[in-house]
Amino acid sequence: MTDSTVAAPALLAWVCKELGARPSIRDVSHARRNSRVWELVRPGGARFYLKVSPQPLMYERETFALRHAVPALGADRAPQLRASSAEHLALLLTAVPGRPLREATVTPAEEARAHRQGGVLLARLHAAGDLSGVRRTEAERALRAGADGADRHLRLAGDRLTPEERRLVRDLAEQLHSLPPLPLAFIHGDARPRNLLWSQPLAQAGWIDFERARFATVAHDFVRMSCDVWPDRPDLRAACLQGYGRDLVPEEQCALKALAALDAVSALVPGQAHDDPDVTASRGRRTLDRLMAGVLA
């Protein structure tokens, strides 16, 4: 490899063994902290991706998702797991057609179609997880866990929030304790345009990056889009939920607003983000401003 980010020799040896040949390798890591991803091309042209997870929990979550739920989306709509290595926290994945919607040049109609198909795929994913035993318990506890962590995040965020913002976040977090049981699912955990692929030749969407996948409420999986794109593009919200097959019930909308507030505070805490800290903090500040202005539904 001649790229600036070079995979370790032991990792490359593992890749060659799994693929049965030495591929050409290109660093395609994201421009953010802890991203380590390479495109692999075998002799003959077959493409794969090598991904090294930033921490064991993310490796475990993505490996579980790829083995137990993601195949329900289809081989051309999400990566398929070719091999994994706990020693290297490495995943060898098949390639998915398309490029991240955030980076693609698309028409408004194509963007809406991508979000509609993204909603269809999320519905498949949500239905694919086995919600029994401890997994159901994990999902049922997700809202309470978020609410219980509010004070800690507020304390760590320090003076990055005003007293009025603190009161709003606490009030919204407290509402999570009084909500009735909400629909549960196996969620993507980071559903947003940078992880939604769009292939223009095929006119089809796909999801990538399942390192935050877990059992939780359905509402958890719409937090990132409700903070990122939906406030300015209600047409994309409508398209996504049309593909999903239903709108969110009022109790889910209440939970989504509270979860958005907690996500925003978390984004302002230094050292919490595995993405670009400046971009993440900007997203958090924008969400809080919208909540204070009453424009984040």
Side-chain angles (χ1 to χ4, degrees):
M1 292 177 63
T2 58
D3 300 280
S4 58
T5 304
V6 181
L11 181 57
L12 290 178
W14 173 75
V15 167
C16 293
K17 178 181 178 183
E18 294 296 335
L19 292 181
R22 185 175 183 85
S24 61
I25 306 175
R26 182 171 66 97
D27 182 8
V28 292
S29 303
H30 296 290
R32 62 179 188 266
R33 188 178 62 181
N34 294 330
S35 175
R36 300 176 64 196
V37 185
W38 296 269
E39 181 186 48
L40 315 175
V41 182
R42 286 185 58 184
R47 288 194 308 130
F48 298 86
Y49 284 91
L50 170 64
K51 177 178 181 178
V52 176
S53 300
Q55 56 180 249
L57 178 59
M58 289 183 169
Y59 167 80
E60 293 165 6
R61 282 180 168 175
E62 189 153 21
T63 302
F64 179 86
L66 291 165
R67 287 175 175 167
H68 297 280
V70 174
L73 275 60
D76 59 344
R77 298 301 189 104
Q80 304 298 299
L81 183 63
R82 174 68 179 261
S84 62
S85 170
E87 176 185 359
H88 301 293
L89 299 183
L91 302 167
L92 184 58
L93 309 169
T94 60
V96 181
R99 61 182 304 178
L101 187 60
R102 179 57 58 86
E103 303 171 7
T105 301
V106 294
T107 66
E110 286 178 313
E111 193 172 13
R113 189 171 183 180
H115 279 263
R116 186 175 300 108
Q117 291 187 27
V120 171
L121 296 174
L122 286 179
R124 291 184 195 170
L125 182 71
H126 289 179
D130 177 13
L131 272 167
S132 61
V134 296
R135 295 169 182 172
R136 174 170 290 277
T137 301
E138 176 188 346
E140 291 171 340
R141 289 177 176 172
L143 283 182
R144 180 173 294 276
D148 291 344
D151 283 340
R152 175 177 176 273
H153 286 304
L154 286 169
R155 184 176 67 256
L156 292 174
D159 60 4
R160 294 170 181 82
L161 283 82
T162 66
E164 292 78 12
E165 289 170 341
R166 288 176 175 276
R167 282 195 293 272
L168 175 63
V169 172
R170 283 199 175 96
D171 289 344
L172 290 173
E174 188 58 33
Q175 292 177 21
L176 293 177
H177 289 292
S178 59
L179 289 174
L182 299 181
L184 307 176
F186 182 75
I187 67 169
H188 181 286
D190 198 16
R192 49 177 154 169
R194 80 172 191 201
N195 292 327
L196 180 61
L197 300 187
W198 177 249
S199 170
Q200 288 180 310
L202 299 176
Q204 74 176 29
W207 287 105
I208 59 172
D209 285 352
F210 293 85
E211 60 192 22
R212 291 177 173 84
R214 62 196 185 277
F215 293 94
T217 66
V218 167
H220 276 88
D221 228 3
F222 296 111
V223 170
R224 293 296 170 87
M225 287 189 287
S226 72
C227 295
D228 191 6
V229 293
W230 286 358
D232 299 321
R233 294 291 304 276
D235 59 315
L236 298 183
R237 180 190 188 278
C240 180
L241 292 177
Q242 181 186 43
Y244 190 70
R246 69 173 180 86
D247 204 342
L248 301 179
V249 300
E251 293 82 4
E252 288 177 300
Q253 294 180 32
C254 180
L256 185 60
K257 187 174 182 179
L259 292 170
L262 295 173
D263 179 75
V265 174
S266 177
L268 296 178
V269 176
Q272 291 291 305
H274 293 283
D275 303 333
D276 184 315
D278 293 332
V279 172
T280 303
S282 176
R283 186 192 79 230
R285 171 45 52 196
R286 187 170 61 250
T287 298
L288 282 171
D289 289 345
R290 285 167 170 165
L291 285 167
M292 292 298 295
V295 296
L296 189 67

